[in-house]
Amino acid sequence: MCLAIPAKIMAIENDTATVDVDGMVRRADLTLVENARIGDYVIMHAGFAIDVMDERAGLESLALLREAFPVEHDDRPA
Amino acid sequence: MAARTIKIAPITRIEGHATIAIHLDDAGNVADSKVHFQSIRGFEKFVEGKPAEELPRIVNRICGICPWHHHLASNKAVDRCFGVTPTPAGHKLRELVQTIAQAEDKLLHFFFLAAADFVIGPDADYAVRNVIGIAKANPELATKVVQMRYKAKMILEKFAGKAIHPVAGVVGGFAKPLTEADRQWMLADMREILDFALFTIEFAKKDVFPKYLDAIQSLGVIKTGFIGTVDDNGALNLYDGKIRLMKPDGAFADFDVQNYADYIGEQVVPWSYGKFPYAKSWNEGFSLDLENPKGIYRANTLARINVADKMATPRAQAELEEFRSLFGRPAQATLLYHYARLIEEVYACEHAIELLKDPSITDTDVRAKVEPRAGRGVGCVEAPRGTLIHDYSTDDNGLVTRANLIVGTTHNLGPINMSVNQAARALIKDGVADEGILNKVEMAVRAYDP
């Protein structure tokens, strides 16, 4: 429910980034973080980027998440 | 009119894959509703076989929305497995960073995730129900919020490392002592954040909550018990203490978190992979029935405020007294989570200042010696979203043989479903469910900050 999946910044326009979250394209509000650049990874909470990490740290976290959750664990659909 | 299902997905300001499904009958009235959340069950298998002392560093990369809280609950669990008690300075430093992380999270939630509903209004167009809308409505405030939240975040980063990957907590205590110079600037920064916390609660009481009294008294209101942590005097504590489980009528029992499984059960329901915690010790089973719920209790801010006899700091205590004079104890209205969050924000700032004023916090004996061994340990802190429990067992080499986690939001899975059901039934009539109505249903979820 509160997994921190690093999202890769693909593009930035004003304070909004287009990010790739494990293949899904989402929008992230950058108001709360400083110095986020294209290629960085952000941790998102409810549409806001709340933390920035460089590519190395982002990839490390993604690898850990893939190891911990080899199968997509979404809840059952309605 | 044919029966149909309304879906709200993704919920605007809730992370992950939370979705709401509202089932309408032939007449267009609510037959049933379900809230679905992403599940984290895979994590417990993943950590089996790993050295226990690595878990505090692994868990915060996965549960990175509140990394400090997972990091410290995990450290406390490993301490217990290995039979070590942190040194007094190590204990205080852990409590300090956890309390500051709480202060940071509450500012973020109130202003960015929740306040848009209040400041902009629940009926406003989706496009302006976000921070840009807030900034347009009140640009000075928006700037100040960003500054204050950033200041809290930077206190943690400058002293204890990057919040997203905290490594400062270590088994047996803390990785480094606090210098006198650090203590001084942190005190100054926390005093500034306390001033802003006091401004915020005054602002909310004067300009925000009065406009929404009707909604507060009706939207998502359910009757449940509550859980939280209190110290030996019955005062709210976020880092350590005994667990208090309160019934809907206000009667309560206190227990050591090592025995949590005697009090809290985990119910499996056919429509979800997530387990639903319930109050096993009440011996009444589990039911989400709105009229007659069984075993249902809530966690997070309102729960902690309800179970505490008092607040340990003066400004927060004054706020709690005012709150209780208006809403009683326990207060049940779901939107009061926001009000309770601001009282806790005042407490977190005051308490961080208290901890920093204690000269012994700069003691350099921050870490007790520890050897891996076989054992079982339960570590618990009050995370922003509720009572966070890490339960590990280790073998002779200190490798994890079994892990069980109950994370804050999990306690509230049942209550969130009930609040959505209540709100949907009250608001959706004859098949009419416009944007304003659906956003009000979301508001009932957002109060829990899932």
PDB file of all heavy atoms in Angstrom, chain B residues 4 7 21 27 30-31 33 66 99 106 118 123 141 143 197 238 260 275 321 335 378 380 397 411 429:
ATOM      1  N   ARG B   4     -25.091  -1.139 -11.940  1.00  0.00           N
ATOM      2  CA  ARG B   4     -23.778  -0.848 -12.518  1.00  0.00           C
ATOM      3  C   ARG B   4     -22.757  -0.626 -11.408  1.00  0.00           C
ATOM      4  O   ARG B   4     -23.104  -0.551 -10.225  1.00  0.00           O
ATOM      5  CB  ARG B   4     -23.851   0.380 -13.432  1.00  0.00           C
ATOM      6  CG  ARG B   4     -24.176   1.669 -12.704  1.00  0.00           C
ATOM      7  CD  ARG B   4     -24.429   2.809 -13.701  1.00  0.00           C
ATOM      8  NE  ARG B   4     -24.952   3.985 -13.027  1.00  0.00           N
ATOM      9  CZ  ARG B   4     -24.257   5.107 -12.817  1.00  0.00           C
ATOM     10  NH1 ARG B   4     -23.016   5.211 -13.225  1.00  0.00           N
ATOM     11  NH2 ARG B   4     -24.811   6.131 -12.208  1.00  0.00           N
ATOM     12  N   LYS B   7     -16.312   3.139 -10.693  1.00  0.00           N
ATOM     13  CA  LYS B   7     -14.935   2.946 -10.221  1.00  0.00           C
ATOM     14  C   LYS B   7     -14.236   4.289 -10.070  1.00  0.00           C
ATOM     15  O   LYS B   7     -14.373   5.151 -10.930  1.00  0.00           O
ATOM     16  CB  LYS B   7     -14.149   2.083 -11.210  1.00  0.00           C
ATOM     17  CG  LYS B   7     -14.431   0.615 -11.060  1.00  0.00           C
ATOM     18  CD  LYS B   7     -13.298  -0.198 -11.659  1.00  0.00           C
ATOM     19  CE  LYS B   7     -13.588  -1.674 -11.405  1.00  0.00           C
ATOM     20  NZ  LYS B   7     -12.470  -2.512 -11.756  1.00  0.00           N
ATOM     21  N   ALA B  21     -14.536   0.725  -5.713  1.00  0.00           N
ATOM     22  CA  ALA B  21     -15.610   0.228  -6.584  1.00  0.00           C
ATOM     23  C   ALA B  21     -16.925   0.338  -5.820  1.00  0.00           C
ATOM     24  O   ALA B  21     -17.050  -0.180  -4.712  1.00  0.00           O
ATOM     25  CB  ALA B  21     -15.342  -1.215  -6.975  1.00  0.00           C
ATOM     26  N   ALA B  27     -32.104   0.300  -8.848  1.00  0.00           N
ATOM     27  CA  ALA B  27     -32.713   1.603  -8.588  1.00  0.00           C
ATOM     28  C   ALA B  27     -31.667   2.728  -8.545  1.00  0.00           C
ATOM     29  O   ALA B  27     -32.011   3.897  -8.366  1.00  0.00           O
ATOM     30  CB  ALA B  27     -33.483   1.556  -7.263  1.00  0.00           C
ATOM     31  N   VAL B  30     -26.805   2.560  -3.612  1.00  0.00           N
ATOM     32  CA  VAL B  30     -25.591   1.788  -3.327  1.00  0.00           C
ATOM     33  C   VAL B  30     -25.944   0.431  -2.739  1.00  0.00           C
ATOM     34  O   VAL B  30     -26.622   0.349  -1.704  1.00  0.00           O
ATOM     35  CB  VAL B  30     -24.672   2.571  -2.361  1.00  0.00           C
ATOM     36  CG1 VAL B  30     -23.458   1.721  -1.979  1.00  0.00           C
ATOM     37  CG2 VAL B  30     -24.226   3.870  -3.019  1.00  0.00           C
ATOM     38  N   ALA B  31     -25.504  -0.624  -3.422  1.00  0.00           N
ATOM     39  CA  ALA B  31     -25.708  -1.971  -2.894  1.00  0.00           C
ATOM     40  C   ALA B  31     -24.511  -2.381  -2.047  1.00  0.00           C
ATOM     41  O   ALA B  31     -24.648  -3.007  -1.004  1.00  0.00           O
ATOM     42  CB  ALA B  31     -25.900  -2.955  -4.045  1.00  0.00           C
ATOM     43  N   SER B  33     -19.851  -1.518  -1.572  1.00  0.00           N
ATOM     44  CA  SER B  33     -18.649  -0.850  -2.069  1.00  0.00           C
ATOM     45  C   SER B  33     -17.434  -1.565  -1.513  1.00  0.00           C
ATOM     46  O   SER B  33     -17.510  -2.186  -0.453  1.00  0.00           O
ATOM     47  CB  SER B  33     -18.635   0.628  -1.642  1.00  0.00           C
ATOM     48  OG  SER B  33     -18.480   0.720  -0.237  1.00  0.00           O
ATOM     49  N   CYS B  66       7.507   6.201   4.321  1.00  0.00           N
ATOM     50  CA  CYS B  66       7.890   6.594   5.687  1.00  0.00           C
ATOM     51  C   CYS B  66       9.116   5.784   6.106  1.00  0.00           C
ATOM     52  O   CYS B  66       9.023   4.951   7.011  1.00  0.00           O
ATOM     53  CB  CYS B  66       6.766   6.498   6.692  1.00  0.00           C
ATOM     54  SG  CYS B  66       5.442   5.369   6.324  1.00  0.00           S
ATOM     55  N   THR B  99      10.709  11.489  15.715  1.00  0.00           N
ATOM     56  CA  THR B  99       9.765  12.567  16.029  1.00  0.00           C
ATOM     57  C   THR B  99       9.829  13.662  14.966  1.00  0.00           C
ATOM     58  O   THR B  99       8.788  14.194  14.545  1.00  0.00           O
ATOM     59  CB  THR B  99      10.076  13.144  17.432  1.00  0.00           C
ATOM     60  OG1 THR B  99      10.078  12.065  18.371  1.00  0.00           O
ATOM     61  CG2 THR B  99       9.054  14.164  17.853  1.00  0.00           C
ATOM     62  N   LYS B 106       3.520  15.247   8.692  1.00  0.00           N
ATOM     63  CA  LYS B 106       2.203  15.836   8.961  1.00  0.00           C
ATOM     64  C   LYS B 106       1.998  17.138   8.194  1.00  0.00           C
ATOM     65  O   LYS B 106       0.905  17.417   7.712  1.00  0.00           O
ATOM     66  CB  LYS B 106       2.029  16.068  10.466  1.00  0.00           C
ATOM     67  CG  LYS B 106       1.851  14.757  11.206  1.00  0.00           C
ATOM     68  CD  LYS B 106       1.692  14.973  12.687  1.00  0.00           C
ATOM     69  CE  LYS B 106       2.178  13.770  13.445  1.00  0.00           C
ATOM     70  NZ  LYS B 106       1.622  12.503  12.964  1.00  0.00           N
ATOM     71  N   PHE B 118     -10.126  21.165   1.465  1.00  0.00           N
ATOM     72  CA  PHE B 118     -10.676  22.214   2.311  1.00  0.00           C
ATOM     73  C   PHE B 118     -10.428  23.601   1.727  1.00  0.00           C
ATOM     74  O   PHE B 118     -11.326  24.414   1.635  1.00  0.00           O
ATOM     75  CB  PHE B 118     -10.044  22.139   3.704  1.00  0.00           C
ATOM     76  CG  PHE B 118     -10.350  20.867   4.428  1.00  0.00           C
ATOM     77  CD1 PHE B 118      -9.355  19.965   4.697  1.00  0.00           C
ATOM     78  CD2 PHE B 118     -11.647  20.575   4.817  1.00  0.00           C
ATOM     79  CE1 PHE B 118      -9.638  18.785   5.367  1.00  0.00           C
ATOM     80  CE2 PHE B 118     -11.943  19.401   5.483  1.00  0.00           C
ATOM     81  CZ  PHE B 118     -10.940  18.503   5.758  1.00  0.00           C
ATOM     82  N   ASP B 123     -15.977  20.532  -4.180  1.00  0.00           N
ATOM     83  CA  ASP B 123     -16.743  20.531  -5.425  1.00  0.00           C
ATOM     84  C   ASP B 123     -15.966  21.149  -6.591  1.00  0.00           C
ATOM     85  O   ASP B 123     -16.443  21.173  -7.715  1.00  0.00           O
ATOM     86  CB  ASP B 123     -18.061  21.295  -5.239  1.00  0.00           C
ATOM     87  CG  ASP B 123     -18.970  20.570  -4.256  1.00  0.00           C
ATOM     88  OD1 ASP B 123     -19.012  19.318  -4.329  1.00  0.00           O
ATOM     89  OD2 ASP B 123     -19.601  21.231  -3.422  1.00  0.00           O
ATOM     90  N   LEU B 141       1.262  31.367   1.799  1.00  0.00           N
ATOM     91  CA  LEU B 141       1.180  30.171   2.623  1.00  0.00           C
ATOM     92  C   LEU B 141       1.833  28.986   1.916  1.00  0.00           C
ATOM     93  O   LEU B 141       2.596  28.236   2.520  1.00  0.00           O
ATOM     94  CB  LEU B 141      -0.292  29.859   2.932  1.00  0.00           C
ATOM     95  CG  LEU B 141      -0.557  28.606   3.760  1.00  0.00           C
ATOM     96  CD1 LEU B 141       0.111  28.702   5.124  1.00  0.00           C
ATOM     97  CD2 LEU B 141      -2.062  28.391   3.932  1.00  0.00           C
ATOM     98  N   THR B 143       4.222  28.935  -0.232  1.00  0.00           N
ATOM     99  CA  THR B 143       5.679  29.066  -0.188  1.00  0.00           C
ATOM    100  C   THR B 143       6.217  28.668   1.188  1.00  0.00           C
ATOM    101  O   THR B 143       7.201  27.951   1.310  1.00  0.00           O
ATOM    102  CB  THR B 143       6.095  30.523  -0.494  1.00  0.00           C
ATOM    103  OG1 THR B 143       5.476  30.886  -1.724  1.00  0.00           O
ATOM    104  CG2 THR B 143       7.591  30.659  -0.616  1.00  0.00           C
ATOM    105  N   ALA B 197       3.848  25.281  13.162  1.00  0.00           N
ATOM    106  CA  ALA B 197       2.824  24.312  13.568  1.00  0.00           C
ATOM    107  C   ALA B 197       1.708  25.017  14.349  1.00  0.00           C
ATOM    108  O   ALA B 197       0.523  24.726  14.157  1.00  0.00           O
ATOM    109  CB  ALA B 197       3.448  23.210  14.422  1.00  0.00           C
ATOM    110  N   LEU B 238       5.071   8.646  20.470  1.00  0.00           N
ATOM    111  CA  LEU B 238       5.191   8.181  19.085  1.00  0.00           C
ATOM    112  C   LEU B 238       6.261   7.108  18.925  1.00  0.00           C
ATOM    113  O   LEU B 238       6.200   6.301  18.006  1.00  0.00           O
ATOM    114  CB  LEU B 238       5.509   9.368  18.154  1.00  0.00           C
ATOM    115  CG  LEU B 238       4.424  10.438  18.062  1.00  0.00           C
ATOM    116  CD1 LEU B 238       4.941  11.668  17.313  1.00  0.00           C
ATOM    117  CD2 LEU B 238       3.175   9.905  17.378  1.00  0.00           C
ATOM    118  N   TYR B 260       1.444  -8.721  21.043  1.00  0.00           N
ATOM    119  CA  TYR B 260       0.399  -8.166  20.177  1.00  0.00           C
ATOM    120  C   TYR B 260      -0.532  -9.236  19.604  1.00  0.00           C
ATOM    121  O   TYR B 260      -1.720  -9.014  19.412  1.00  0.00           O
ATOM    122  CB  TYR B 260       1.017  -7.321  19.052  1.00  0.00           C
ATOM    123  CG  TYR B 260       1.590  -8.112  17.893  1.00  0.00           C
ATOM    124  CD1 TYR B 260       0.830  -8.372  16.759  1.00  0.00           C
ATOM    125  CD2 TYR B 260       2.896  -8.608  17.928  1.00  0.00           C
ATOM    126  CE1 TYR B 260       1.353  -9.112  15.699  1.00  0.00           C
ATOM    127  CE2 TYR B 260       3.420  -9.343  16.879  1.00  0.00           C
ATOM    128  CZ  TYR B 260       2.644  -9.596  15.770  1.00  0.00           C
ATOM    129  OH  TYR B 260       3.155 -10.327  14.727  1.00  0.00           O
ATOM    130  N   LYS B 275      -4.519  -8.788   4.503  1.00  0.00           N
ATOM    131  CA  LYS B 275      -5.151  -9.289   5.727  1.00  0.00           C
ATOM    132  C   LYS B 275      -5.693  -8.102   6.510  1.00  0.00           C
ATOM    133  O   LYS B 275      -5.050  -7.057   6.568  1.00  0.00           O
ATOM    134  CB  LYS B 275      -4.126 -10.029   6.577  1.00  0.00           C
ATOM    135  CG  LYS B 275      -3.758 -11.407   6.042  1.00  0.00           C
ATOM    136  CD  LYS B 275      -2.872 -12.094   7.074  1.00  0.00           C
ATOM    137  CE  LYS B 275      -2.116 -13.257   6.469  1.00  0.00           C
ATOM    138  NZ  LYS B 275      -1.025 -13.696   7.341  1.00  0.00           N
ATOM    139  N   GLU B 321      -7.217  19.540  25.011  1.00  0.00           N
ATOM    140  CA  GLU B 321      -8.339  19.898  25.885  1.00  0.00           C
ATOM    141  C   GLU B 321      -9.431  20.605  25.089  1.00  0.00           C
ATOM    142  O   GLU B 321     -10.619  20.328  25.258  1.00  0.00           O
ATOM    143  CB  GLU B 321      -7.846  20.778  27.040  1.00  0.00           C
ATOM    144  CG  GLU B 321      -7.111  19.972  28.100  1.00  0.00           C
ATOM    145  CD  GLU B 321      -6.392  20.851  29.124  1.00  0.00           C
ATOM    146  OE1 GLU B 321      -6.790  22.028  29.295  1.00  0.00           O
ATOM    147  OE2 GLU B 321      -5.417  20.356  29.726  1.00  0.00           O
ATOM    148  N   LEU B 335     -13.381  12.847   9.544  1.00  0.00           N
ATOM    149  CA  LEU B 335     -12.606  14.009   9.084  1.00  0.00           C
ATOM    150  C   LEU B 335     -11.817  14.663  10.218  1.00  0.00           C
ATOM    151  O   LEU B 335     -10.944  15.491   9.976  1.00  0.00           O
ATOM    152  CB  LEU B 335     -13.505  15.032   8.386  1.00  0.00           C
ATOM    153  CG  LEU B 335     -14.108  14.593   7.041  1.00  0.00           C
ATOM    154  CD1 LEU B 335     -14.775  15.774   6.352  1.00  0.00           C
ATOM    155  CD2 LEU B 335     -13.089  13.970   6.101  1.00  0.00           C
ATOM    156  N   VAL B 378       9.710  -8.169  18.728  1.00  0.00           N
ATOM    157  CA  VAL B 378       8.709  -7.325  18.086  1.00  0.00           C
ATOM    158  C   VAL B 378       9.140  -5.884  18.277  1.00  0.00           C
ATOM    159  O   VAL B 378       9.395  -5.456  19.407  1.00  0.00           O
ATOM    160  CB  VAL B 378       7.311  -7.550  18.705  1.00  0.00           C
ATOM    161  CG1 VAL B 378       6.286  -6.672  17.999  1.00  0.00           C
ATOM    162  CG2 VAL B 378       6.913  -9.022  18.630  1.00  0.00           C
ATOM    163  N   CYS B 380       8.196  -1.801  17.505  1.00  0.00           N
ATOM    164  CA  CYS B 380       6.991  -1.026  17.193  1.00  0.00           C
ATOM    165  C   CYS B 380       7.263   0.467  17.353  1.00  0.00           C
ATOM    166  O   CYS B 380       7.924   0.879  18.305  1.00  0.00           O
ATOM    167  CB  CYS B 380       5.885  -1.465  18.148  1.00  0.00           C
ATOM    168  SG  CYS B 380       4.347  -0.573  17.949  1.00  0.00           S
ATOM    169  N   ASN B 397      22.599 -18.012  13.961  1.00  0.00           N
ATOM    170  CA  ASN B 397      23.509 -17.130  13.225  1.00  0.00           C
ATOM    171  C   ASN B 397      22.930 -15.734  13.011  1.00  0.00           C
ATOM    172  O   ASN B 397      23.513 -14.922  12.301  1.00  0.00           O
ATOM    173  CB  ASN B 397      23.840 -17.744  11.862  1.00  0.00           C
ATOM    174  CG  ASN B 397      24.589 -19.057  12.024  1.00  0.00           C
ATOM    175  OD1 ASN B 397      25.491 -19.156  12.856  1.00  0.00           O
ATOM    176  ND2 ASN B 397      24.181 -20.065  11.268  1.00  0.00           N
ATOM    177  N   HIS B 411      -4.117  -1.482   9.584  1.00  0.00           N
ATOM    178  CA  HIS B 411      -5.128  -1.435  10.650  1.00  0.00           C
ATOM    179  C   HIS B 411      -6.403  -0.769  10.137  1.00  0.00           C
ATOM    180  O   HIS B 411      -7.500  -1.069  10.594  1.00  0.00           O
ATOM    181  CB  HIS B 411      -4.655  -0.596  11.842  1.00  0.00           C
ATOM    182  CG  HIS B 411      -3.440  -1.116  12.528  1.00  0.00           C
ATOM    183  ND1 HIS B 411      -3.451  -2.195  13.362  1.00  0.00           N
ATOM    184  CD2 HIS B 411      -2.150  -0.680  12.503  1.00  0.00           C
ATOM    185  CE1 HIS B 411      -2.228  -2.402  13.846  1.00  0.00           C
ATOM    186  NE2 HIS B 411      -1.426  -1.495  13.341  1.00  0.00           N
ATOM    187  N   LYS B 429     -27.639   8.797  -4.695  1.00  0.00           N
ATOM    188  CA  LYS B 429     -29.064   8.437  -4.716  1.00  0.00           C
ATOM    189  C   LYS B 429     -29.530   8.422  -6.168  1.00  0.00           C
ATOM    190  O   LYS B 429     -29.131   9.278  -6.961  1.00  0.00           O
ATOM    191  CB  LYS B 429     -29.906   9.481  -3.952  1.00  0.00           C
ATOM    192  CG  LYS B 429     -29.526   9.648  -2.489  1.00  0.00           C
ATOM    193  CD  LYS B 429     -30.037   8.501  -1.627  1.00  0.00           C
ATOM    194  CE  LYS B 429     -29.604   8.719  -0.173  1.00  0.00           C
ATOM    195  NZ  LYS B 429     -29.516   7.463   0.576  1.00  0.00           N
TER     196      LYS B 429
END
